[in-house]
Amino acid sequence: MLHSAYNPEQEAERFVHALLCSFNPSFVVITEPGLSYCAPFLRERFPHARLYAIRYDSSFSFCDKLWDKVLSAEEKSLPFSEILFNELGEEGIFSAFFCSWVPSSHAFPLQDTCVWNEIKKAILKSRDVLGTRSYFSQRWISNAFSFCLHVSKTAVLPYSGSFPVVIAASGTSLSGSLSFLKKYRKSYYLIAVSSSFSVLLHNDIIPDICISTDGGHYAGKHLAPLEGKMYSVPLALSPESACSKNILRQCTIIPLSYGDGAGSSLLNCCGIQSMHAERNGTVSGTAADFALSITRGPVFLCGLDLSSSSGYQHSQPNCLEIINSASDMRIKPKETRTAASRFSSQSLSVYCDWFKSLPRTKSERLFRLSDNFIFNNNLGAVRDVNFSFFSAELSQVQVPDFINTQLPSHSERLTRERLFLDTNKTSSEWLREIFPAEYLSRERAAGRAGFSDRNTILFEKNDKLAARLERILV
């Protein structure tokens, strides 16, 4: 039975009062609450939380109005972990209290086990995303301040045309495609993901643009060929990306804005015109969305393996491989180093799942291109094609020219950045974005023991960051 036959309200009240929750949740998520007798008691105990129910059976849908949101475990368009993550996001999951209505777990054992496994996946993904943000967010905002200060020539692309686009990623399958990319080079628009840049240049293939969105220090090393004006390839760059001052000053930059966060706000504050980009865990995902936005034609993803291999994980030459190989020695040879990377595939599976989850409006124009390479995975509705298919899609088309944009002077941007920092550095929005784990941890402890200590830690870190940004603006 799903409820007591004698006093279901009393059973529900006892259940809610027995729940052990040591923090202040923003969301309370309960699995299949049946006739939802527990809903008013949950609302009474957690008055500031939004109440979510996960339905195993649509027979109880007439009770859905008692909840702020109802999610169906029967939805098959995406894995349920992705549905949950898309609904709550990493911050919402971090701030959520998950509980199980025990009678339903007995009545629907298979569904219950499956849903709780999916909840675990969503929590682990939330932990990883939040951990990444907490680790990199200070570097990202530092990069953004440097970007807005030192960029000297900017441009945008028109959103028009039906020309084919090739995105070159750096998976090992790229190597077998290079001769074909060179053969057909004048018949398509080429976007190089930064990690493939050196491979293309080494094979005398000059991309139309290079794109980089990674804020890590070593990711900036992929852009080394642009130092010293050796090449004049325009660079599509988010303000959070790692990039040297010299490249920002010398190259034509296509600023990319995600439309949210401090980086985008800083671009607007400094009067820097940008193009829209979709935030993604992998630069290939951002590049795919960007390519789809500038053409009505097909977009081919080349070198997008998204799986580990038995040797090098990237096509060669790769800038990071050159740097890492300097530390190889007899007692720690290259094989030991490259073997370890074969097992670091969790993030690759996340990126692969993103491509699988694309809506049809996007996936129908996306193709993974190779010279009949045997991939270890599939990308869902994104079809794998070879160069016979590719050549049939080509035609002589006019690719777009860049449109140069106006920039405020260096001194004007410096003044605006200082004002932006002074205005925002202690706001809740700033603290939440730059220190997400510390901020959310403090909010979870509001009104409880430990709040003061967590508040002190948060502002000590913020003061150190503000001092670092001030040094950038000297």
Side-chain angles (χ1 to χ4, degrees), residues 171-335:
T172 53
S173 65
L174 177 64
S175 298
S177 301
L178 293 170
S179 60
F180 294 97
L181 292 178
K182 195 169 185 177
K183 175 181 178 181
Y184 298 112
R185 179 63 191 93
K186 294 183 179 180
S187 301
Y188 62 88
Y189 195 83
L190 179 58
I191 300 176
V193 169
S194 55
S195 57
S196 70
F197 193 35
S198 58
V199 181
L200 296 174
L201 296 179
H202 182 75
N203 288 274
D204 298 321
I205 302 173
I206 309 298
D208 292 290
I209 62 172
C210 177
I211 183 170
S212 179
T213 61
D214 197 324
H217 169 74
Y218 284 103
K221 299 296 183 182
H222 290 305
L223 304 177
L226 293 173
E227 293 273 7
K229 298 184 178 180
M230 293 173 58
Y231 298 93
S232 59
V233 178
L235 178 59
L237 203 66
S238 65
E240 296 91 345
S241 304
C243 185
S244 73
K245 296 176 184 178
N246 288 338
I247 292 176
L248 290 172
R249 291 165 178 162
Q250 295 168 1
C251 294
T252 297
I253 304 296
I254 303 169
L256 301 178
S257 172
Y258 300 124
D260 61 9
S264 296
S265 297
L266 186 59
L267 279 178
N268 293 334
C269 178
C270 292
I272 299 175
Q273 188 174 340
S274 61
M275 296 185 69
H276 178 71
E278 292 291 333
R279 193 183 300 278
N280 197 285
T282 169
V283 63
S284 295
T286 299
D289 267 314
F290 180 78
L292 290 170
S293 75
I294 64 172
T295 182
R296 296 185 298 274
V299 175
F300 297 92
L301 303 157
C302 201
L304 192 70
D305 299 7
L306 297 181
S307 64
S308 56
S309 61
S310 58
Y312 289 119
Q313 304 306 303
H314 301 279
S315 294
Q316 301 300 312
N318 181 275
C319 292
L320 295 188
E321 170 61 26
I322 295 172
I323 294 172
N324 293 334
S325 64
S327 62
D328 293 340
M329 59 185 73
R330 183 173 59 84
I331 60 174
K332 191 180 178 182
K334 176 173 67 176
E335 175 59 24

Side-chain angles (χ1 to χ4, degrees), residues 138 435 459-469 471:
Q138 295 179 63
F435 306 98
F459 276 94
E460 284 179 348
K461 290 187 175 183
N462 190 51
D463 290 342
K464 290 181 180 178
L465 173 62
R468 186 189 314 165
L469 298 177
R471 288 194 293 272

